[in-house]
Amino acid sequence: MLTITDLHASCDGKEILRGIDLQVNAGEVHAIMGPNGSGKSTLANVLAGRDRYQVTAGAVNYQGRDLLSMQPEERARAGVFLAFQYPVEIPGVSNIYLLKAALNAVRRSRGQPELDAMDFLALVKERLALVSMKEELLYRSVNEGFSGGEKKRNEILQMAVLAPSLAILDETDSGLDIDALQTVSAGVNALRSVDRAFLLITHYQRLLEYIVPDVVHVLVDGRIVRSGDRSLALELERTGYGSAASPQSSA
Amino acid sequence: MSNRVPDTTEKYIEAMRARDDAAREVSWLRALRQTAAARFAEAGFPGLRDEDWKYTDIRPIERAAFMPLPADAAPPVLASSRRFLIEGLSGPRLVFINGRFSTVLSLVDGLPSGVTIIPFGEALRRKSQVLAAHLGRHAPADGHGFAALNTALLTDGAYIHIGAGVRLEQPVIVLYLATANAALLLPRTLVIAEPDSQVTIIEHYAAAADVTYFTDGLSEIAASANAVVEHYRVQEESRTAFHISGVHLQVGRSSRVSTHALDLGGRLVRNDVRAVLAEAGGECHLNGFYLATDKQHVDNHTCIDHAQASCKSREFYRGVLSGRGRTVFRGRIVVRADAQKSDARQVNNNLLLSRDAEADSLPQLEIYADDVLCSHGATVGQLDGDALFYLRSRALDDADARDLLTFAFAREVLDRIRIAPVQAWVERRISAALRLGVAGGMGV
């Protein structure tokens, strides 16, 4: 599904990603862990097409296409979804309007007819239950005045409505209390399927208690220094990122 | 004042002298006109050296020397005049075409008792005393030359009187329609809301396409104790027209007056809104939306005078600029020494869609009391890059995302319009003017 080869990226002239190699197959859940400033969020944003970051070398192949040559909206239509670490507030645009515009943009690009209001509402209400989100939030401006937990639920709701092939969750667990974390995780787990892949970006092992990954990668200073199974996350919890980066423990 | 063109001032003074019906006029009106004429002769046209006019060059108006139409000029027959009526809006209606009252298009039948909606011509016959007590009394006598010009050459206007305790459900529509080239048009609106009354007024300025003229309008709104007045000024003059307006609000004890300035048209536009919170407990809301595309120039000056204690004012103006659009917002709030417990808030936001557009925002607070709450905020900026990326990451293409954010920016102030047909009308006009791919109804 996703093959990243020797990816280098900078921001404001400063190199942040220094040669990422990663292979994610359909149906898999990969966790990317690492200390602050290691480049986790940069990787997520580069994959989504944020123009603040400049790719200086490397390639990203997504379902046989050159992902880096695609506009952000083309990536979204091709099934790439980024759940933002800091979801943006958009006063004046209702949540439900955005959901509908987004879904219909995806459907149009696939040659599918737009959903009418009734079918769309039925779909949204079904997905709303998945993230235990209050219906009234649909009619409010996007993320405006939402609590931290409501914003993250809203991201997962958008994901559930758009049904992407590759979902990248950028620190979706940050700032969540345990109840919200469980709800959000349950939502993600419900969306796991053989033809969908997840990239979970997180600072803490805690999220991985609820969403069990197939592979865990450790990102330090813009490179993946170790990869392993779930036990790697537990080891990091005990020993910290310092030891993971040291050469003798490198995979 | 070498940069001035003296001819036009003199032409107007001559026109004031030459009015042939002056001798037949009632004495109070003659006196009102004479005072205004004297004021005009004294003040003349404002120049760039006047602090209040330094961003708005009105010399093109002077150069064009627009003249009043002759009193006997027949109002044009308009085949498609209905297209100027806001769709879906019903209520009593006064229509003026080129400043002349149109009996054909107006509609003032079956009004509840206590409600009088008539042109000045009729008010002079039937309501001369009330008219005399209010006309020209709510706008300051020492105003700028344009206000004086309106009064001195006054032709006709809308007289709206709501008796004590009367609540008029339907909005009153006053349509000022322009179809004449080179004309000086002097629309005038007088609203008197007696104690405990309620009324909504929509002043609508519209034009046949491609006419160049000068609208010099003046509105006076007097709200007595506990009255609730909602006022709209929907300005969609032709793109080559000049529009200068004054809206003067007198806010009585515990009354609530709202005004919405919706500026969509015109080549050079200047509005002065002045609200006097004259008695304790009064409340005023000034909302504004302005659009400046291509080479439009839109200048909004507001002044809220907290003259007495325990009054509240809220001001929210937003503008969208594209092309070489140019806007000015000056929001003055004065809190007098006796006006303790005043509560004033002012916000002005400007969205620039092009590099060549320019917005100035000038808040001006003058506070002479110590126990007050006053705040202001002004921004001039472009579309939020984070929001744009967020929308694009949700599959919206760049152009759609920009349109949506632009529309949403405007919508925050348009949402304060309480009359759905007016809101829909204005939203459609904005979408068309900015060629947005979104139009009203962002529901599902």
Side-chain angles (χ1 to χ4, degrees):
Chain A
M1 165 135 351
L2 181 75
T3 307
I4 303 176
T5 313
D6 192 31
L7 182 66
H8 291 251
S10 352
C11 184
D12 299 328
K14 186 172 166 248
E15 187 168 54
I16 301 173
L17 300 183
R18 307 163 180 232
I20 302 267
D21 291 286
L22 183 66
Q23 168 76 38
V24 179
N25 300 313
E28 291 178 352
V29 175
H30 288 236
I32 296 192
M33 303 184 67
N36 288 331
S38 60
K40 302 187 301 287
S41 281
T42 300
L43 176 61
N45 278 281
V46 165
L47 293 176
R50 179 109 221 199
D51 60 7
R52 180 183 296 166
Y53 303 95
Q54 297 86 44
V55 173
T56 50
V60 178
N61 185 296
Y62 168 73
Q63 293 182 333
R65 300 174 68 180
D66 172 13
L67 188 73
L68 298 177
S69 70
M70 296 159 73
Q71 294 295 321
E73 57 270 31
E74 294 174 320
R75 301 180 197 204
R77 290 167 194 172
V80 175
F81 181 89
L82 170 65
F84 282 58
Q85 182 180 5
Y86 303 109
V88 182
E89 296 191 7
I90 309 184
V93 177
S94 78
N95 219 1
I96 191 139
Y97 181 87
L98 173 58
L99 279 171
K100 192 176 184 203
L103 179 63
N104 282 332
V106 169
R107 289 180 66 92
R108 277 197 306 274
S109 75
R110 294 178 185 165
Q112 296 168 325
E114 296 190 5
L115 281 189
D116 68 27
M118 290 245 302
D119 290 344
F120 171 71
L121 266 180
L123 173 75
V124 170
K125 283 187 181 171
E126 180 205 318
R127 300 297 149 95
L128 207 54
L130 207 64
V131 290
S132 308
M133 204 170 107
K134 282 179 279 186
E135 193 177 333
E136 60 157 273
L137 294 182
L138 289 177
Y139 301 98
R140 298 241 307 261
S141 287
V142 177
N143 294 322
E144 193 186 29
F146 285 25
S147 69
E150 285 169 340
K151 285 181 181 172
K152 297 301 175 81
R153 281 171 211 249
N154 201 27
E155 294 293 289
I156 304 303
L157 172 69
Q158 292 175 2
M159 181 173 86
V161 168
L162 295 178
S165 302
L166 173 66
I168 304 158
L169 277 61
D170 187 6
E171 305 214 12
T172 296
D173 53 330
S174 68
L176 290 187
D177 63 28
I178 197 75
D179 288 343
L181 183 64
Q182 283 177 345
T183 313
V184 164
S185 302
V188 171
N189 285 328
L191 293 168
R192 285 179 80 153
S193 83
V194 289
D195 44 26
R196 180 172 294 141
F198 286 86
L199 210 52
L200 306 178
I201 289 174
T202 181
H203 189 79
Y204 300 105
Q205 195 277 138
R206 190 177 70 149
L207 176 71
L208 308 183
E209 289 173 18
Y210 300 98
I211 308 172
V212 179
D214 299 299
V215 189
V216 174
H217 308 276
V218 182
L219 189 66
V220 177
D221 285 338
R223 288 191 194 93
I224 291 176
V225 295
R226 279 185 73 182
S227 297
D229 63 12
R230 204 197 147 201
S231 61
L232 178 56
L234 295 167
E235 182 193 323
L236 287 171
E237 181 94 333
R238 285 195 310 275
T239 60
Y241 290 112
S243 66
S246 60
Q248 59 269 34
S249 61
S250 137
Chain B
M1 298 294 149
S2 58
N3 57 351
R4 292 203 178 158
V5 189
D7 293 5
T8 306
T9 311
E10 277 156 28
K11 274 186 192 166
Y12 287 158
I13 291 170
E14 181 51 35
M16 291 166 195
R17 281 201 200 102
R19 293 184 59 258
D20 52 9
D21 52 348
R24 281 178 281 124
E25 226 156 52
V26 287
S27 59
W28 67 262
L29 182 55
R30 199 163 56 231
L32 186 69
R33 285 188 193 278
Q34 281 167 354
T35 307
R39 173 66 192 158
F40 179 77
E42 177 200 349
F45 290 105
L48 295 173
R49 291 185 197 177
D50 296 313
E51 178 63 24
D52 274 349
W53 293 83
K54 66 192 248 186
Y55 297 98
T56 296
D57 183 0
I58 57 90
R59 280 175 297 182
I61 298 177
E62 285 190 67
R63 265 184 235 117
F66 299 101
M67 290 307 283
L69 295 172
D72 54 359
V77 179
L78 290 177
S80 57
S81 54
R82 297 221 138 254
R83 74 187 161 97
F84 300 107
L85 303 177
I86 292 172
E87 224 176 311
L89 187 65
S90 58
R93 182 168 80 218
L94 294 176
V95 179
F96 297 85
I97 303 176
N98 300 330
R100 310 288 164 190
F101 181 63
S102 163
T103 38
V104 180
L105 290 173
S106 298
L107 190 77
V108 282
D109 296 336
L111 295 175
S113 69
V115 175
T116 311
I117 300 171
I118 48 178
F120 281 0
E122 193 178 337
L124 273 170
R125 292 194 302 275
R126 286 175 47 201
K127 303 282 177 183
S128 185
Q129 277 190 334
V130 188
L131 194 60
H134 287 277
L135 191 66
R137 312 300 169 201
H138 306 292
D142 60 350
H144 56 62
F146 290 113
L149 180 64
N150 178 289
T151 301
L153 289 175
L154 187 68
T155 44
D156 205 344
Y159 172 97
I160 298 159
H161 183 269
I162 312 297
V166 177
R167 288 163 182 266
L168 186 62
E169 296 295 328
Q170 287 190 308
V172 181
I173 302 145
V174 184
L175 173 60
Y176 293 109
L177 194 54
T179 69
N181 256 315
L184 166 66
L185 304 175
L186 304 157
R188 183 88 180 215
T189 311
L190 176 65
V191 179
I192 305 153
E194 298 289 358
D196 302 299
S197 66
Q198 188 167 342
V199 65
T200 297
I201 309 103
I202 299 157
E203 281 180 46
H204 185 195
Y205 296 83
D210 305 330
V211 280
T212 302
Y213 55 92
F214 171 31
T215 294
D216 179 20
L218 199 60
S219 302
E220 293 175 277
I221 297 171
S224 295
N226 300 311
V228 178
V229 178
E230 183 103 6
H231 170 255
Y232 296 83
R233 207 183 100 266
V234 183
Q235 184 271 106
E236 32 182 350
E237 305 274 24
S238 92
R239 294 299 296 269
T240 53
F242 299 88
H243 178 99
I244 291 189
S245 81
V247 175
H248 298 272
L249 311 170
Q250 197 72 25
V251 184
R253 182 175 303 274
S254 301
S255 75
R256 184 186 195 277
V257 178
S258 309
T259 183
H260 306 251
L262 303 160
D263 281 291
L264 310 174
R267 167 184 159 192
L268 174 65
V269 176
R270 161 68 180 248
N271 311 304
D272 283 86
V273 178
R274 187 175 137 275
V276 181
L277 294 157
E279 291 176 83
E283 188 178 322
C284 73
H285 296 252
L286 272 58
N287 296 310
F289 177 80
Y290 46 94
L291 191 65
T293 67
D294 303 332
K295 291 180 183 172
Q296 281 179 292
H297 180 111
V298 184
D299 177 352
N300 279 289
H301 267 56
T302 66
C303 177
I304 299 174
D305 186 349
H306 280 261
Q308 291 297 328
S310 307
C311 292
K312 177 174 150 184
S313 67
R314 293 287 180 270
E315 187 168 11
F316 184 35
Y317 270 67
R318 276 195 169 179
V320 176
L321 294 80
S322 69
R324 304 182 65 86
R326 176 84 174 82
T327 66
V328 182
F329 172 84
R330 187 192 291 267
R332 188 167 167 231
I333 297 173
V334 183
V335 180
R336 310 266 172 196
D338 289 340
Q340 300 295 356
K341 306 280 180 200
S342 289
D343 176 1
R345 277 188 226 160
Q346 178 192 92
V347 175
N348 172 233
N349 308 119
N350 297 278
L351 173 59
L352 306 181
L353 297 177
S354 96
R355 286 170 196 278
D356 297 325
E358 188 184 339
D360 280 293
S361 186
L362 311 147
Q364 191 180 340
L365 270 56
E366 296 167 34
I367 301 169
Y368 304 102
D370 44 29
D371 184 13
V372 300
L373 280 171
C374 286
S375 68
H376 67 87
T379 61
V380 177
Q382 293 152 357
L383 289 175
D384 176 11
D386 289 336
L388 261 180
F389 177 66
Y390 189 76
L391 293 178
R392 293 179 71 191
S393 80
R394 299 299 180 255
L396 276 65
D397 59 37
D398 187 56
D400 288 347
R402 284 173 190 279
D403 286 358
L404 187 56
L405 291 176
T406 303
F407 194 76
F409 174 86
R411 197 178 181 141
E412 278 192 272
V413 65
L414 302 177
D415 271 346
R416 301 188 175 203
I417 299 176
R418 292 182 184 196
I419 303 166
V422 174
Q423 188 180 351
W425 177 273
V426 172
E427 286 183 353
R428 276 201 301 277
R429 296 295 158 120
I430 293 168
S431 281
L434 293 171
R435 298 179 197 90
L436 300 183
V438 239
M442 286 208 303
V444 169

